[in-house]
């Protein structure tokens, strides 16, 4: 039957997406290499106002399609075969995930077109598959929060057998290039041609300003029953030449516009304020309210963040409040309709019973626990230690850590790597079993191979984030003994590390107990030097980033990009600053003024990216 299938495919020139003749075996890799896109993938300008969208469309034939909520992927085909798949990443540099793309449910590995084809699309996991996968996870605390997070993790697996089990699907939304094909100057013709090649294409309607309402009504009705995640719509001019002639701004292409659904707001009643301690001693107020349905899920709590916001909202038990999901994900209180303001701020910590105090920092009031041995601080410290940017240990949620601490399994970080001695008890715990324990053991084995920066960050030293940890470790050539034995003056002299950070750092390592715990931990680890990724074109250059960014998801991502190329990012403009990055170059901000005073060039993101390309 297989031979017959191959003969038929050769005779007809047609190979179906899921044909066994093109399905690949599973393969595991050590890492996902990074690669720069041929051209930056810009964000889209967006609106929640239908009339703004209508004004953009005007009398132009426009494709209105779903804005899928997954992970953007760029596919490249040559001689009819898939040769490369790269994630969007930060829009400039993405990760090569070709092995994983080969096991997506609906990507054709062979197509009839023999030229070089580049297209973009969204990788998604349907709601129904998401629910099935979550139901298969015994530990409720480790289940995925939404399909987008699950898809992001699935697409970026090192072992594509895991990706294959997740039922990832790909929907094309843009054809970048296909030389020699006449698309009659039409984006719609490109979409139809992609369908003929075997791709699933995002659903679209052709509209003008006059016909927009009918299409919008269709999409707003369909989204309620769709099995795939979507966070809005995309309008794209059908006329390719006209759209391309518009060019782009520093932030957005001018041939497309995104429409975001207006936030779904529900009224409910505030039942209580729960006070949630953190590893730093900060106690966050969390609003508990009567459950409401928002964006397809049941919501009953939202963080209020700090005392200042709680006072501003005048929250009181029994108040009528309105809630929504910021970016369709994070529950927030929009308004307090009754504003009774009767909340009492606790004088003792809910976790340990010790005294609390209100501190005001930068005009923001927040509540803190004064007990250095607070149990909540301990749990949160372990949670940071196992987090992705720290030791990256899967299978240890806060709830699981709390259980392990309560049973006396772990007292310091090194104990986590000795969890094997408690296996007999753990496999009998609710939500655990042989398989869960085996997964945890494998995760611990992987975590043992790490870097000095991850170790330093994982310790939870006040004011030491991952970026600062990397800078300090780089200065001491990743030598842990030199790092913890350094004097405050030497730490402070490191470029971008100030006296506050230096004091926190040296105070931590002046503790005999902290050093004992670190020695215990180091006995389980193999520390490798941080490998430099890509050409270090920004070596010995200092950048400051201010204002909003568009080519990157956020400023942290822009910072990561600069650091990956050898540069440093600081928080303030000084004589050592090489460039200030600000899209609003005419701004009268203090950073712009300081840069002009010191003669430091101010670059827009566009100019910064051009600088990176030239180097």
């Amino acid at each position: 039957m297989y031979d017959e299938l191959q003969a038929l495919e050769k005779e007809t020139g047609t190979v179906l997406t899921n044909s066994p003749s093109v399905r690949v075996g599973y393969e595991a890799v050590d890492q996902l290499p990074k690669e720069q896109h041929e051209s930056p993938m810009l964000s889209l300008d967006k609106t929640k106002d239908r009339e703004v969208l209508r004004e953009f469309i005007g009398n132009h034939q426009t494709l209105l399609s779903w804005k899928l909520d997954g992970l953007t992927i760029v596919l490249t085909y040559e001689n009819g075969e898939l040769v490369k798949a790269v994630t969007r990443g930060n829009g400039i540099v993405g990760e090569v995930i070709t092995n994983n793309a080969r096991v997506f449910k609906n990507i054709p590995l062979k197509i009839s077109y023999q030229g070089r084809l580049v297209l973009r699309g969204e990788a998604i996991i349907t709601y129904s598959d998401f629910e099935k996968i979550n139901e298969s996870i015994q530990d409720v605390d480790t289940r995925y929060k939404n399909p987008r997070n699950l898809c992001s993790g699935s697409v970026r697996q090192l072992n594509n057998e895991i990706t294959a089990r997740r039922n990832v699907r790909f929907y094309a939304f843009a054809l970048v290039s296909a030389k020699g094909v006449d698309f009659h100057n039409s984006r719609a013709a490109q979409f139809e041609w992609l369908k003929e090649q075997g791709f699933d294409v995002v659903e679209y309607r052709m509209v003008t300003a006059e016909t927009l309402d009918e299409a919008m009504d269709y999409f707003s009705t369909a989204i309620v029953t769709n099995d795939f995640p979507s966070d809005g719509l995309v309008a794209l001019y059908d006329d390719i030449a006209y759209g391309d002639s518009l060019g782009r701004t520093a932030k957005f292409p001018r041939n497309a516009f995104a429409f975001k659904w207006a936030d779904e707001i529900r009224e409910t009643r505030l039942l209580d304020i729960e006070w949630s301690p953190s590893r730093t001693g900060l106690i966050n107020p969390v609003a508990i309210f009567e459950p409401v349905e928002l964006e397809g899920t049941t919501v009953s709590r939202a963080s209020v963040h700090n005392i200042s916001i709680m006072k501003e909202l005048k929250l009181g038990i029994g108040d009528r409040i309105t809630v929504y999901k910021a970016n369709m994900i994070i529950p927030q209180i929009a308004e307090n309709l009754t504003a009774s303001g009767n909340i009492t701020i606790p004088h003792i910590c809910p976790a340990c019973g010790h005294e609390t105090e209100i501190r005001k920092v930068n005009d923001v009031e927040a509540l803190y626990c004064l007990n250095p041995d607070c149990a909540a601080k301990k749990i949160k410290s372990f949670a940071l230690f196992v987090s992705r940017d720290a030791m990256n240990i899967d299978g240890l949620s806060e709830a699981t850590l709390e259980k392990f601490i309560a049973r006396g399994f772990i007292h310091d970080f090194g104990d986590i790597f000795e969890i094997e001695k408690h296996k007999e008890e753990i496999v009998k715990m609710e939500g655990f079993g042989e398989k869960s324990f085996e997964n945890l053991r494998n995760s611990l084995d992987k975590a043992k191979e790490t870097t000095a920066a991850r170790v330093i960050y994982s310790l939870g030293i006040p004011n030491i984030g991952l970026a600062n940890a990397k800078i300090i470790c780089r200065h001491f050539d990743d030598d842990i003994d030199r790092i913890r034995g350094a004097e405050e003056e030497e730490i402070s002299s490191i470029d971008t590390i100030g006296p506050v950070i230096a004091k926190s750092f040296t105070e931590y390592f002046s503790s005999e107990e902290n050093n004992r715990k670190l020695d215990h931990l180091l006995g389980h680890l193999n520390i490798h030097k941080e490998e430099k990724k890509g050409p270090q074109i920004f070596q010995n250059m200092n950048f400051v980033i201010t204002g909003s960014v568009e080519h990157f998801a956020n400023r942290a991502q822009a910072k990561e990009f600069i650091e990956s190329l050898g540069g440093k990012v600081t928080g303030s403009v000084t004589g050592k600053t090489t460039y200030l990055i600000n899209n609003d170059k005419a701004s009268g901000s203090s950073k712009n003024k300081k840069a002009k005073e010191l003669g430091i060039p101010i670059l827009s993101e566009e100019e910064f990216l051009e600088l990176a390309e030239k180097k």
Side-chain angles (χ1 to χ4, degrees):
M1 290 177 70
Y2 185 82
D3 291 343
E4 183 182 354
L5 171 66
Q6 285 190 310
L8 286 169
E9 288 175 343
K10 186 175 181 180
E11 179 184 336
T12 62
T14 300
V15 181
L16 299 179
T17 301
N18 288 311
S19 171
S21 70
V22 294
R23 287 293 104 188
V24 297
Y26 300 128
E27 183 179 351
V29 295
D30 294 328
Q31 62 177 350
L32 298 176
K34 294 190 176 183
E35 180 174 299
Q36 188 163 333
H37 295 297
E38 294 177 10
S39 59
M41 296 179 66
L42 303 179
S43 303
L44 295 181
D45 200 357
K46 58 184 73 70
T47 182
K48 293 182 180 180
D49 187 338
R50 186 181 293 198
E51 295 312 310
V52 172
L53 187 66
R54 193 192 309 277
E55 184 178 343
F56 167 79
I57 293 171
N59 293 320
H60 301 287
Q61 292 285 324
T62 303
L63 279 68
L64 191 65
S65 63
W66 295 112
K67 187 176 182 294
L68 298 178
D69 191 20
L71 199 70
T72 301
I73 307 291
V74 183
L75 301 182
T76 302
Y77 287 77
E78 292 178 358
N79 300 318
E81 294 191 5
L82 175 66
V83 294
K84 186 166 60 179
V86 184
T87 65
R88 181 185 187 278
N90 59 21
I92 300 157
V93 176
E95 291 177 306
V96 179
I97 50 113
T98 312
N99 284 338
N100 294 340
R102 291 181 189 280
V103 297
F104 286 4
K105 294 294 288 185
N106 62 337
I107 281 185
L109 301 183
K110 290 187 177 182
I111 58 176
S112 59
Y113 175 66
Q114 296 297 299
R116 187 172 188 270
L117 167 65
V118 181
L119 71 152
R120 295 172 181 169
E122 199 82 352
I124 66 163
I125 290 177
T126 63
Y127 286 119
S128 53
D129 282 331
F130 169 73
E131 288 166 5
K132 288 176 186 175
I133 291 167
N134 256 355
E135 286 170 4
S136 69
I137 300 173
Q138 292 181 336
D139 186 353
V140 175
D141 296 310
T142 62
R143 289 179 177 175
Y144 295 92
K145 302 301 182 187
N146 54 60
R148 189 184 191 284
N149 286 356
L150 175 59
C151 183
S152 178
S154 302
V155 165
R156 299 172 63 252
Q157 289 290 328
L158 296 180
N159 185 344
N160 67 353
E161 184 175 2
I162 298 173
T163 306
R165 293 200 299 264
R166 301 284 176 80
N167 291 342
V168 180
R169 300 171 190 275
F170 175 87
Y171 290 89
F173 61 67
L175 191 155
V176 180
S177 63
K179 291 183 179 179
V181 182
D182 183 3
F183 296 112
H184 308 290
N185 196 36
S186 168
R187 296 288 181 190
Q190 288 183 337
F191 276 23
E192 295 307 312
W193 182 80
L194 285 172
K195 288 180 183 178
E196 293 171 6
Q197 296 299 314
F199 296 97
D200 286 335
V201 173
V202 63
E203 181 186 10
Y204 70 91
R205 294 286 181 94
M206 189 72 78
V207 300
T208 60
E210 288 74 25
T211 62
L212 175 63
D213 290 320
E214 182 182 349
M216 292 286 285
D217 291 344
Y218 163 75
F219 283 113
S220 61
T221 301
I223 194 172
V224 179
T225 56
N226 280 347
D227 192 29
F228 54 83
S230 166
D231 59 354
L233 303 171
V234 174
L236 173 68
Y237 289 138
D238 182 54
D239 189 319
I240 298 173
Y242 173 71
D244 289 348
S245 72
L246 299 175
R248 65 189 192 189
T249 68
K251 302 178 180 180
F252 315 114
R254 288 195 172 100
N255 67 339
F257 212 94
F259 176 84
K260 305 281 282 187
W261 303 112
D263 293 320
E264 186 179 356
I265 296 179
R266 291 283 182 271
E267 185 178 325
T268 184
R269 187 169 70 92
L270 183 66
L271 301 176
D272 196 8
I273 291 290
E274 181 182 282
W275 298 90
S276 176
S278 70
R279 70 178 180 84
T280 61
L282 176 66
I283 303 176
N284 298 300
V286 179
I288 311 299
F289 44 83
E290 292 178 346
V292 290
E293 289 290 321
L294 278 177
E295 313 291 356
T297 61
T298 302
V299 177
S300 60
R301 53 196 293 128
S303 175
V304 187
H305 304 295
N306 54 55
I307 301 295
S308 292
I309 293 175
M310 191 182 74
K311 287 181 177 178
E312 185 180 334
L313 287 168
K314 297 180 181 178
L315 293 177
I317 305 302
D319 281 348
R320 301 301 302 179
I321 59 174
T322 58
V323 294
Y324 70 103
K325 278 189 177 179
N327 295 322
M328 301 180 71
I329 297 172
I330 305 168
Q332 300 282 304
I333 296 176
E335 187 180 3
N336 187 355
L337 305 176
T338 47
S340 67
N342 64 24
I343 298 295
T344 300
I345 299 171
H347 297 293
I348 62 171
C349 173
C352 68
H354 280 66
E355 188 181 355
T356 64
E357 72 172 10
I358 297 175
R359 297 176 188 168
K360 192 170 187 178
V361 180
N362 296 327
D363 293 325
V364 175
E365 288 185 317
L367 186 67
Y368 286 86
C369 171
L370 302 179
N371 177 17
D373 297 316
C374 177
K377 291 183 182 180
K378 201 170 187 180
I379 293 166
K380 299 292 184 180
S381 292
F382 280 109
L384 170 70
F385 180 81
V386 304
S387 65
R388 186 179 64 180
D389 287 338
M391 299 305 293
N392 193 22
I393 303 171
D394 288 331
L396 286 177
S397 64
E398 274 194 35
T400 300
L401 286 166
E402 189 172 356
K403 292 173 186 174
F404 285 2
I405 292 169
R407 289 174 180 247
F409 297 162
I410 53 178
H411 301 279
D412 62 41
F413 299 138
D415 291 334
I416 291 178
F417 293 93
E418 297 171 4
I419 208 71
E420 181 77 32
K421 65 176 72 169
H422 304 290
K423 176 183 176 182
E424 198 171 313
E425 292 177 73
I426 292 173
V427 294
K428 294 176 183 176
M429 289 170 57
E430 185 178 352
F432 258 88
E434 291 285 349
K435 183 64 175 174
S436 296
F437 189 85
E438 184 64 28
N439 290 339
L440 175 57
R441 179 194 287 145
N442 291 338
S443 185
L444 288 168
D445 286 341
K446 289 180 183 177
K448 289 177 181 178
E449 308 297 326
T450 188
T451 63
R454 281 181 174 270
V455 173
I456 295 300
Y457 170 62
S458 74
L459 299 177
I461 304 170
N463 302 311
I464 306 296
L466 183 59
N468 289 331
K470 286 182 176 179
I471 291 169
I472 293 170
C473 290
R474 196 180 302 141
H475 178 83
F476 292 102
D477 200 28
D478 292 333
D479 187 325
I480 293 286
D481 288 330
R482 287 180 61 201
I483 290 167
R484 61 175 167 178
E487 298 291 334
E488 186 177 331
E489 186 178 346
E490 185 177 7
I491 299 288
S492 186
S493 69
I494 300 173
D495 195 17
T496 76
I497 302 297
V500 174
I501 292 174
K503 185 175 177 61
S504 292
F505 199 84
T506 52
E507 279 184 354
Y508 181 89
F509 288 113
S510 67
S511 164
E512 187 177 327
E513 179 63 9
N514 286 341
N515 279 287
R516 183 196 66 77
K517 290 177 179 178
L518 178 56
D519 285 335
H520 184 204
L521 171 63
L522 292 174
H524 296 284
L525 305 179
N526 297 315
I527 296 179
H528 308 280
K529 286 195 174 183
E530 191 95 43
E531 291 184 13
K532 295 179 178 179
K533 300 172 183 176
Q536 302 295 283
I537 58 174
F538 293 143
Q539 188 76 41
N540 300 320
M541 298 173 71
N542 296 323
F543 294 81
V544 175
I545 308 169
T546 189
S548 61
V549 293
E550 295 300 334
H551 293 284
F552 299 89
N554 48 46
R555 287 192 301 213
Q557 202 174 67
K559 180 180 179 181
E560 183 182 344
F561 174 68
I562 292 171
E563 289 178 344
S564 73
L565 298 175
K568 294 180 181 177
V569 178
T570 64
S572 56
V573 177
T574 69
K576 294 181 180 180
T577 303
T578 311
Y579 293 106
L580 170 64
I581 301 173
N582 188 355
N583 282 320
D584 188 0
K585 295 172 67 174
S587 164
S589 70
S590 59
K591 285 188 174 70
N592 274 26
K593 288 178 181 177
K594 188 70 173 177
K596 289 173 183 176
E597 286 173 12
L598 297 172
I600 293 165
I602 303 174
L603 305 179
S604 67
E605 265 184 283
E606 197 76 22
E607 290 166 333
F608 164 69
L609 293 174
E610 288 175 5
L611 174 71
E613 287 176 6
K614 287 176 183 177
K615 285 186 170 290

